[in-house]
Amino acid sequence: MADNDRAPLGVGMIGYSFMGAAHSQAWRTAPRFFDLPLDPQMRVLAGRDPERTAAAAHRLGWDSTETSWQALVARDDVDLVDICTPGDTHAEIAIGALEAGKHVLCEKPLANSVAEAETMVAAAEAAEQRGVRAMVGFTYRRVPAVQLARQLVADGRIGEVRHVRAQYLQDWIADADAPLSWRLDKSKAGSGALGDIGAHIIDLAQFVTGEQITGVSGSLRTFVTERPVATEFAGLSGQGGTERGPVTVDDAAVFLADLSGGGVGVFEATRFAYGRKNAIRLEVNGSKGSVAFDFEDMNVLHFYDAADDPVVAGFRRIQVTEPQHAYIGHWWPAGHGLGYEHAFTHQAVDLVEAIAAGDQPTPTFADGLAVQRVLAAVELSSESGARRVEP
Ligand code: SOE
C-alpha cells in the first residue's frame, strides 16, 4: 500500500537477472531508509517467459507481471520504467517509455552505438519539456567514497588534474571453458569489457575530475574466440554444453586518454585478470595531491595532501562512514560500512527526489551519450590503428 501522505510512484521493471535483482533491492529499501517525497510502488515486472517472470516477481517483490515491455509501458499504474535488459533493447524501450510519458531509468551503457544513444538523448530532451525525466545507471558514482573524491577535486584539494589511472578488473571468463552469455555477443551487448565495465571507469573518471575525455588511443583484445554454448546461465556464471559458438566482443580494452583540463589518463578494462573479481581502481594525481579509490575496499578513500609536513606526509586512509559523508547518515553508525547494493539504493533515492522536485536527475542520457562517444572512439582507434581519435 502507498504511504498515505506521499503520492505513489508506480515502478515497472523490465528484466530480472543480475541488474534486475540489484534494482529490485534498491526499490525495496529506498523508501525504508530514506524519507522520500514520493512512495515507490513495485507494481510490475516484465519478462518474456511467464513462469520464470512470475517466480522472479515473487522472489524480488513485484506485485504483478507482464510478458512484454510494451504491455508494461502501456499500464496506467506505471509512472517510471526501469530498464534492466541487455543493451540491444535499451533504445526501443527507453524511447517507447518516454514517448508514453513515463520516467526512465536505463542500465549502462546507455546503448550499443552512438547513433542509438543520440536517438535516446533526443527522446529524453523532448520528454523533459513535458516534465518526464531520464537517468542512466552509472551506480558507482553513488558510492560515498567516490562522492568524497569528487568533492575533494572540486574543492581544489589536489589542484590541477595531471593523471587519471583507472582500472576495472574481473576474471569471470578467464577460464576458456566458461560458457557464452549475452555479454559475449556483440549483437546483444554492443561490445565486451569495453562497454560493460570500461563504461563505468570512463564515467567515474569524468565524474570525479569534472573533466571530459577529449581524445583516446586504444587497443581491444579477444583472447578466447569461441566457447561452449550455455545450457544454463545466471548473473555471471553458467554451465556449457558440447555445442560451441563464437565470441564476438572484446575480452579486454586498454586505452590512453587526453583530459579536457590538460591531463592524461590510462584506462584498463578486462575480464581476464585472474584473482580480481570486481576490482575498480581510480587514482587521480593533481598538482597539489592525489585521491585513490579501490572498490575492493569501497568504504575507504585515500587522500594525499602535498602540503603536509614531509615528516608525517602520506596517503590518509579515510573511512568514508561518517554521517557527514554522502548518504551514510541514512544507514549505519560510523565504521560499519556499505556494500555494492547500496549504490543502487542511492540511485533510486536520487531519481525519486529529482522527479518530485522537477529537476533533471544525473547522470543524464546526454552523460550516457558522452560515454558512448568515448567507447566508439576507442573501438575506432583499435580498429584503425589511429594514434588519437576524438570522441
Ligand atoms: C558485469 O561486468 C557487471 O555485472 C556489470 O555489467 C555491472 O555494471 C557491474 O556493476 C558489475 O559487473
Side-chain angles (χ1 to χ4, degrees):
M1 288 296 290
D3 184 306
N4 292 334
D5 64 0
R6 285 174 298 168
L9 181 74
V11 182
M13 187 174 79
I14 303 151
Y16 50 79
S17 186
F18 181 178
M19 288 302 109
H23 285 230
S24 300
Q25 173 277 147
W27 292 117
R28 292 195 305 270
T29 55
R32 290 169 174 76
F33 283 85
F34 293 75
D35 296 326
L36 297 180
L38 297 172
D39 191 34
Q41 296 292 303
M42 297 171 70
R43 292 268 163 75
V44 53
L45 174 66
R48 283 175 297 229
D49 181 307
E51 288 73 33
R52 289 186 173 204
T53 305
H58 175 72
R59 177 166 49 83
L60 298 174
W62 294 88
D63 296 340
S64 65
T65 62
E66 294 287 354
T67 54
S68 76
W69 69 263
Q70 292 90 339
L72 180 147
V73 166
R75 286 176 52 150
D76 292 337
D77 64 345
V78 170
D79 305 305
L80 185 156
V81 176
D82 187 356
I83 304 171
C84 293
T85 57
D88 63 317
T89 59
H90 289 182
E92 65 170 340
I93 298 174
I95 293 168
L98 289 165
E99 289 177 349
K102 316 291 184 174
H103 306 294
V104 170
L105 170 57
C106 183
E107 259 297 325
K108 42 53 61 183
L110 184 64
N112 283 359
S113 70
V114 168
E116 280 184 346
E118 287 172 337
T119 62
M120 296 169 79
V121 168
E125 289 174 350
E128 189 183 350
Q129 302 306 313
R130 304 192 308 274
V132 176
R133 308 297 172 189
M135 177 197 265
V136 60
F138 287 112
T139 47
Y140 293 114
R141 290 176 167 216
R142 294 183 155 90
V143 173
V146 172
Q147 295 270 323
L148 179 59
R150 175 184 168 90
Q151 192 59 55
L152 292 175
V153 175
D155 291 348
R157 300 292 297 274
I158 69 167
E160 290 181 49
V161 171
R162 304 287 193 230
H163 285 280
V164 168
R165 203 162 295 107
Q167 299 172 328
Y168 199 145
L169 313 175
Q170 296 179 335
D171 71 359
W172 58 282
I173 55 168
D175 176 351
D177 290 329
L180 289 168
S181 68
W182 68 263
R183 283 187 170 89
L184 305 182
D185 175 353
K186 186 175 182 64
S187 69
K188 293 284 185 190
S191 64
L194 176 66
D196 181 28
I197 51 180
H200 277 300
I201 51 178
I202 292 166
D203 179 68
L204 275 180
Q206 296 187 138
F207 176 69
V208 168
T209 62
E211 299 185 15
Q212 292 71 47
I213 291 172
T214 57
V216 294
S217 175
S219 184
L220 305 183
R221 283 289 182 287
T222 302
F223 301 116
V224 174
T225 56
E226 70 162 25
R227 291 178 177 271
V229 173
T231 51
E232 56 180 285
F233 202 92
L236 294 181
S237 60
Q239 296 299 322
T242 53
E243 185 187 354
R244 299 180 73 80
V247 173
T248 54
V249 297
D250 56 285
D251 290 327
V254 297
F255 60 95
L256 302 174
D258 296 333
L259 296 171
S260 52
V264 288
V266 180
F267 292 75
E268 185 182 8
T270 183
R271 294 160 164 170
F272 276 67
Y274 255 135
R276 299 299 178 196
K277 302 306 176 183
N278 199 55
I280 308 165
R281 290 111 175 246
L282 180 71
E283 180 163 324
V284 183
N285 306 131
S287 57
K288 295 163 62 178
S290 297
V291 288
F293 170 75
D294 183 342
F295 183 79
E296 291 184 341
D297 193 10
M298 69 175 283
N299 292 286
V300 167
L301 183 69
H302 299 270
F303 169 52
Y304 182 87
D305 185 340
D308 280 352
D309 173 355
V311 173
V312 293
F315 271 97
R316 292 177 215 173
R317 185 176 187 279
I318 304 169
Q319 276 210 80
V320 189
T321 60
E322 298 296 327
Q324 293 87 341
H325 292 130
Y327 307 110
I328 295 293
H330 293 271
W331 296 104
W332 322 125
H336 290 68
L338 303 184
Y340 172 72
E341 73 279 14
H342 291 87
F344 289 87
T345 303
H346 302 159
Q347 174 174 264
V349 167
D350 291 348
L351 177 54
V352 171
E353 290 181 344
I355 289 169
D359 292 338
Q360 182 55 39
T362 59
T364 64
F365 275 17
D367 293 325
L369 172 58
V371 171
Q372 211 76 43
R373 292 191 192 285
V374 176
L375 298 174
V378 172
E379 286 183 321
L380 177 57
S381 172
S382 180
E383 288 158 8
S384 67
R387 155 75 181 76
R388 184 178 188 277
V389 176
E390 294 184 2

